[in-house]
Amino acid sequence: MERSTIVRVHEGLHARPATRFVKLAKGFESDVELVKDGKAVSAKSSVKLMLLAVKENQEVTVRANGADAIEAIEALIGYLENPKAGLDDEEPQSPANDAAPAPAPQPAPAASSEASSLRGVAASEGVAIGPAFAHFPPDIAGQGRLLQADEIAGEIDRLRAAIAAVQARMDRALAQDSLSAGDRGIVAALRDIAADDSLTGEAEKAIRGGNDAVSALITAASTIAADFSAVDDHYLNARADDVHAVGRQICLVLLGQDDVSLENIPEGAILIADDIGAWDLARAPLKRIGGVVCGHGGATSHIAIIARSHGIPAVLGLGNKVNALRAAQEVALDGNSGHVIVDPDAATRADFAGRVEAAAKERAGLSVFKTVTPKRADGRVIEVAANIGSLEEIEAAQEAGAMGVGLFRTELLFMRHMHLPSEDMQAETYAALAKAFAPHPVIVRTLDIGGDKPIAGIEFPDEENPFLGWRGIRMCLDRPDIFKRQLRALLRAAVHGNIKVMLPMVSDVSEVTRTRALVDECAAELKAEGAPYATFDLGVMIETPAAVLIAPALAKEVAFFSIGTNDLTQYIMAADRLNPTVAKLNDVTNPAVMSAIELTAKAGVAAGIMVGMCGEAAGRPDLIPTFVEMGLTELSMSPASIQRAKKTITAMAGD
Ligand code: PEP
Ligand code: MG
């Protein structure tokens, strides 16, 4: 028996709704299938359900066969039509594992003068020395021999025991109160996959065909992951990594091996990896990490930004040379010069120990600047603000003495969730920020994302050059459904503090005027709905050469400029900010970039608007005096750089 309906589950049968649907289906004895476009899958497997890629408002059929078929159909159709009704809510509706993508792979190995000394990209300042913590998850291989017929039942038992052990481990993790909502979502999604019949069913089939459990599981995981990769949906594509991650955990149990986990990193250790996802690093015990050395990444990659915001010295972009560190016992690194020394001798060790101590002393001496309000010689206050990307970073920014937020990167908010964040959720986040820093301003940058970073809910085209493509304000203006949701949330949040809004990747005045029209439209809608809102200052990032060249015209349209030197440098110099091979050219002090900054400052000052900077150069003590002399009155940077910037400005006034 069967019945059809239209799916009313918001965003369709993605991870959590699929799990709920399966849980309901498993409560019935009958065989139950869900059918879409003529394709039927078992309603008792969340993996198969997810792969059916059922979206909201699509028509599906529930088919059941068995003693309780009528009840099963009634319950499942009821869920599809009204998913919120009658469900216990013990499963948290948390963000799933939308891991922030790792920086694009970089090919070039860095130069090395001697075997024990390597050179990479100086990505986060400071020196460190400590025990090496190599994070190179091993490749897993099966036994590669065919099982005898009498070994098969035992091998299936071994597989089932390993799966049960992994599920139990994940259940234990979920039971911990200390788990953040984000981490809980990740673990819950992985546990669903571990518990799914598709993976076990495929693996058992392969064992029956004579394969050992590890080989069988690798094959099963690869097959299912390939199915996820093939679906035309970014969110589901990212699930392929989850399947591999779960497969890996089960294989490790089968092999009696422990996984390499960042959880166990010892105090003060230097994390060594070929590549590490920014989201993985953000979740690691950052306070314990003494330094980071990576084969991939560049000075303005997001790993570098996370390292800088936590004051962790980092050298990235070592390329294949990072393999020389796999067996290192101790590592010293200089995040200012990009040098990494493997197993340093006594003299080097003493030198680094001295420099680490001096840096700690400098930090202690800087703490008096936390509450200082830096001023130019003429008494004009220079705002020293923080660059942050999540509410978790508020504390570090306040601790450092930030005079507001000069750049709130909203991308993480979008990347962390399996759906586009709702207007309410965004409004709450922006309001929390505004309240935390009031009366100081909080400058929220509208979504700055492109095809290089997948986001669930936005289809990006394949592009030859995503950095020159459909990103930032270009994408937002083409997707008013997404953009207006963010603008409405910002108008609502502006009631709670001093919110300002800035647009990324602007290269034409019309992008500002079109945005302003959308803001007006949103304000009119909120007014008609009787929802409280307040207007905000609208500014632009100056980070494209076009924006520099039309700065005088842009200045007439906006309340402020914020110079994004990270992108401005790569676009002026035509040198990819993530590519260590061209790192030398990607230099903000190049006269071409400095004159672009000066042109921008002149245009802003002449028009009487605020000119600030939120690229990484804003925190450089060697450049701050020049920027202040050019007329910049706001500098926004990683919290770790704030106190030294305040000291530098204060010292200028005394000169
Ligand atoms: C910049 O480009 O300088 C900037 C601050 O933005 P992001 O690093 O996020 O691209
Ligand atoms: Mg930028």
Side-chain angles (χ1 to χ4, degrees), residues 325-378:
L325 292 154
R326 279 175 182 260
Q329 298 291 310
E330 192 181 33
V331 171
L333 70 124
D334 182 338
N336 308 316
S337 67
H339 276 103
V340 178
I341 294 135
V342 191
D343 293 324
D345 58 19
T348 313
R349 197 181 284 154
D351 174 43
F352 269 79
R355 289 165 68 191
V356 169
E357 199 184 317
K361 265 201 194 128
E362 194 211 356
R363 267 200 306 279
L366 282 175
S367 62
V368 297
F369 288 92
K370 175 179 171 182
T371 52
V372 164
T373 301
K375 292 184 182 138
R376 281 195 313 219
D378 65 358

Side-chain angles (χ1 to χ4, degrees), residues 300-302 305 387 407 409 411 445 448 453 467 471 502 504-505 541-543 562-571 577 613-617 636:
T300 52
S301 63
H302 284 96
I305 290 171
N387 289 354
L407 166 61
R409 292 181 165 97
E411 295 76 67
R445 177 174 73 185
D448 185 13
K453 295 189 193 95
F467 281 99
R471 57 187 312 114
M502 77 179 165
M505 283 295 294
M541 291 195 68
I542 302 289
E543 55 182 347
S562 184
I563 305 173
T565 49
N566 306 340
D567 277 320
L568 186 61
T569 308
Q570 79 163 342
Y571 292 132
R577 64 194 262 189
M613 179 181 284
C614 61
E616 293 298 317
S636 189

